[in-house]
Amino acid sequence: MRILPAASGSGIVFRRTDLDGYEIEAISPNVARVSYATSLMKKGVLISTTEHLLSAFIGLGIDNAVVELNNLELPILDGSAQPFVAMIQQAGIRKQRRARKYLKIRREVEMREGNKFIAVYPSDTYSVAYSINFPHPLIGKETFRVELTNGSYLRHIAAARTFGSREDEQAMRNMGLIRGASRDNCIVLTRDGVENGPLRFPDEFVRHKVLDLVGDLALLGKQILGNVVADRAGHAMHTALVSRILRDKTLWEEVTFPEASAEHEASSRAEAAASSSI
Ligand SMILES: [Zn+2]
């Protein structure tokens, strides 16, 4: 994987270098499949597991970048967004002149599916409150609230890793998934603990859900201004919320803050030696 600068207004675009540079924009109409991860597809060309990198872009305030891949799956690295954040910070971030356009929520949207819930409420900033209830002695009920401004993402969210159990792993391997998974790229849960501790945060699990949500909401194509509340949701509900918002233009308006023209691009040769997959 390689991240390149992009012109103002171009958004995040994935480029398959193994398929003549075929490009897929990181926007909701290209969402293909959501189960264990979020995938994009355009004319049969797939990009899988986009959420951690897109999350890092939002957390760093990157609006424009080209992401080259020589494969269909993004590198999983350590299962968090931290390696992407470090790589982008090392390459540098350039401020562009055009004012950033925000998608500002004007009316609430609530979606329910069984005991799963996701909603977004009007707000002048971007905040997330996520709750999970996972039947495991180390997890149970966890809620995490965060204001995604002023560096909070980098301090509290970016390093939270994905997690799974040995049983999940076997089931997913049987489906041909997560062939690159190992103890180095996710937290492995045992019946009553963690196989490869210590955790990076005592509530790392729910923080990772926030990380995933931020990455999936990046498919709005703009930074959002709203208060997002989620309870036991997942990639499918995250992306359903995105398409629901985009479908109804009375729910939001586009705003800019001319005094703080803060559109950014990822700058110059940020390269990660990519081996991949979960
Ligand atoms: Zn994840």
Side-chain angles (χ1 to χ4, degrees):
M1 189 187 96
R2 192 160 80 116
I3 302 175
L4 304 165
S8 184
S10 53
I12 307 298
V13 178
F14 291 96
R15 184 183 287 158
R16 285 282 299 269
T17 55
D18 56 330
L19 295 174
D20 295 328
Y22 190 77
E23 294 191 340
I24 305 180
E25 302 80 10
I27 49 170
S28 175
N30 291 334
V31 169
R33 245 189 350 190
V34 277
S35 52
Y36 71 104
T38 300
S39 301
L40 303 174
M41 180 145 64
K42 194 173 155 188
K43 301 213 167 128
V45 176
L46 195 69
I47 301 275
S48 178
T49 321
T50 55
E51 61 270 21
H52 299 169
L53 177 62
L54 294 182
S55 187
F57 281 149
I58 294 288
L60 287 164
I62 306 288
D63 297 293
N64 306 300
V66 172
V67 181
E68 288 186 347
L69 278 178
N70 65 352
N71 199 288
L72 61 82
E73 198 169 32
L74 270 81
I76 189 69
L77 305 174
D78 72 350
S80 80
Q82 189 58 50
F84 295 126
V85 166
M87 155 189 179
I88 293 163
Q89 284 178 326
Q90 198 185 352
I93 297 167
R94 188 186 305 147
K95 194 166 167 173
Q96 292 170 302
R97 281 170 61 190
R98 188 156 23 145
R100 170 186 287 150
K101 291 191 179 92
Y102 291 85
L103 189 155
K104 187 174 193 308
I105 297 297
R106 293 175 58 196
R107 290 199 291 126
E108 67 181 44
V109 185
E110 295 182 332
M111 301 174 80
R112 228 174 278 275
E113 201 186 291
N115 61 8
K116 300 174 178 180
F117 177 77
I118 193 163
V120 60
Y121 303 96
S123 169
D124 292 328
T125 62
Y126 183 12
S127 57
V128 172
Y130 213 118
S131 302
I132 57 172
N133 191 349
F134 197 80
H136 186 275
L138 265 190
I139 312 177
K141 265 193 153 148
E142 285 183 351
T143 296
F144 196 77
R145 268 172 244 282
V146 63
E147 179 73 48
L148 291 161
T149 39
N150 308 323
S152 289
Y153 178 90
L154 304 182
R155 276 200 306 278
H156 301 297
I157 304 298
R161 292 162 299 163
T162 192
F163 59 97
S165 66
R166 280 271 168 246
E167 293 81 47
D168 294 344
E169 186 192 348
Q170 201 45 55
M172 289 173 82
R173 280 183 196 279
N174 291 344
M175 291 189 283
L177 301 171
I178 62 165
R179 276 170 292 179
S182 78
R183 293 160 54 109
D184 298 329
N185 49 36
C186 72
I187 305 167
V188 181
L189 293 170
T190 59
R191 202 174 289 269
D192 53 4
V194 168
E195 195 176 291
N196 53 347
L199 296 176
R200 293 177 176 176
F201 310 97
D203 54 358
E204 186 166 357
F205 309 98
V206 70
R207 291 181 194 232
H208 187 79
K209 297 295 286 186
V210 175
L211 189 160
D212 280 341
L213 173 69
V214 169
D216 287 335
L217 260 52
L219 297 167
L220 287 163
K222 292 184 189 67
Q223 298 253 358
I224 186 174
L225 296 175
N227 174 30
V228 183
V229 177
D231 185 2
R232 282 166 281 189
H235 293 301
M237 281 194 93
H238 302 164
T239 54
L241 179 67
V242 168
S243 53
R244 170 85 184 275
I245 291 169
L246 292 177
R247 253 200 328 269
D248 186 348
K249 294 208 163 89
T250 68
L251 296 174
W252 52 274
E253 62 188 331
E254 210 175 82
V255 298
T256 54
F257 299 107
E259 72 282 3
S261 168
E263 194 172 13
H264 288 106
E265 64 170 0
S267 167
S268 77
R269 299 172 301 278
E271 293 191 44
S275 65
S276 100
S277 90
I278 189 165

